[in-house]
């Protein structure tokens, strides 16, 4: 079945270091989304990428969508303790019924 | 944006009992989605709840175990029936953003522990 895979599962960084999480889909996606879940919280939408090769920035966060629309990455520059949480990528199910398939998530820990 | 109120926020239940989780949205939505997030894991879709029709369940989830009601366009319930410790998870309801297809808003979740 359709899968969205994400690596790494965990990442510990020193505050100020950069961080990247990678997402790969088994199928071509019409779009890809990123969500952040703080410890004890619920997932919150960060961004949606639609175009092949698209790059979007949100302050220290840079999101990329691959040319083949099957992979994506989230890069955080100079991490801060507020970046702690789990980052999920998600792609629409091929049935086009509004369902999302989530990656396994990357949990980021930032040491001050 | 949509504001979703989900309750209870957490509960501790005994094996064999049932728990009903409620999800109230501040606007009318066509589809509501129920997800399960097991400890330290990703989100797995349980079912899609459409108003006026039976919920659509994903592989591995059945109506007898997770009955869903959707009486109107702003409300849904998910019941976890005949619970076992394996049902200990966070249960999340979510709705799609009208303004951006595919974007989901999530409720705050129900953390369920089954003893």
């Amino acid at each position: 079945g359709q899968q969205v895979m994400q690596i790494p599962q965990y990442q510990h960084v020193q505050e100020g270091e950069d961080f990247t999480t990678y997402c790969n889909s088994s199928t071509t996606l019409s779009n890809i989304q990123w969500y952040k879940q703080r410890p004890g919280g619920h997932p919150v939408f960060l961004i949606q990428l639609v175009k092949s090769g698209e790059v979007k920035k949100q302050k220290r966060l840079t999101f990329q969508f691959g040319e083949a629309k099957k992979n994506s990455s989230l890069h955080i520059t100079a991490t801060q303790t507020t970046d702690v949480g789990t980052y999920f990528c998600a792609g629409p199910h091929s049935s086009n019924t509004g369902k999302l398939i989530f990656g396994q998530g990357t949990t980021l820990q930032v040491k001050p | 944006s949509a504001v979703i109120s989900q309750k209870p926020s957490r509960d501790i239940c005994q094996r064999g009992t049932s728990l009903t989780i409620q999800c109230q949205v501040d606007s009318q939505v066509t589809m509501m989605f129920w997800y399960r997030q097991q400890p330290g894991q990703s989100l797995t879709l349980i079912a899609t709840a459409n108003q006026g029709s039976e919920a659509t369940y994903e592989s591995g989830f059945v109506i007898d175990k997770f009955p869903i009601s959707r009486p109107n366009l702003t409300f849904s319930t998910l019941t976890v029936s005949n619970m076992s410790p394996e049902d200990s998870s966070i249960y999340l309801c979510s709705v799609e953003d009208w303004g951006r297809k595919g974007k989901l808003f999530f409720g705050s979740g129900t953390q369920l522990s089954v003893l």
Side-chain angles (χ1 to χ4, degrees), chain A residues 78-97:
Chain A
T79 55
Q80 300 175 358
T81 54
T82 53
D83 295 325
V84 164
T86 300
Y87 294 85
F88 293 98
C89 61
H93 191 270
S94 54
S95 62
N96 200 30
T97 52

Side-chain angles (χ1 to χ4, degrees), chain B residues 5-20:
Chain B
S5 300
Q6 186 175 339
K7 57 182 181 182
S9 58
R10 60 178 65 239
D11 208 341
I12 301 173
C13 300
Q14 295 296 321
R15 182 195 298 260
T17 62
S18 298
L19 175 72
T20 295

Side-chain angles (χ1 to χ4, degrees), chain A residues 3-19:
Chain A
Q3 290 186 319
V4 175
M5 295 145 286
Q6 200 174 341
I7 57 169
Q9 187 174 3
Y10 298 99
Q11 186 84 56
H12 291 76
V13 300
Q14 197 72 39
E15 189 172 23
E17 292 181 339
D18 292 356
F19 158 78

Side-chain angles (χ1 to χ4, degrees), chain B residues 18-58:
Chain B
S18 298
L19 175 72
T20 295
I21 302 167
Q22 298 180 4
C23 186
Q24 178 76 51
V25 189
D26 68 343
S27 57
Q28 294 184 338
V29 294
T30 305
M31 291 188 292
M32 296 178 75
F33 304 96
W34 286 97
Y35 283 86
R36 182 175 73 181
Q37 186 175 28
Q38 294 178 304
Q41 302 297 312
S42 185
L43 290 84
T44 302
L45 183 63
I46 298 171
T48 302
N50 298 309
Q51 195 270 333
S53 63
E54 294 249 339
T56 304
Y57 289 83
E58 298 300 308

Side-chain angles (χ1 to χ4, degrees), chain A residues 27-42:
Chain A
T27 61
T28 301
L29 300 171
S30 59
N31 69 84
I32 195 157
Q33 302 173 36
W34 287 89
Y35 291 80
K36 177 182 179 181
Q37 185 175 27
R38 295 182 185 276
H42 58 277

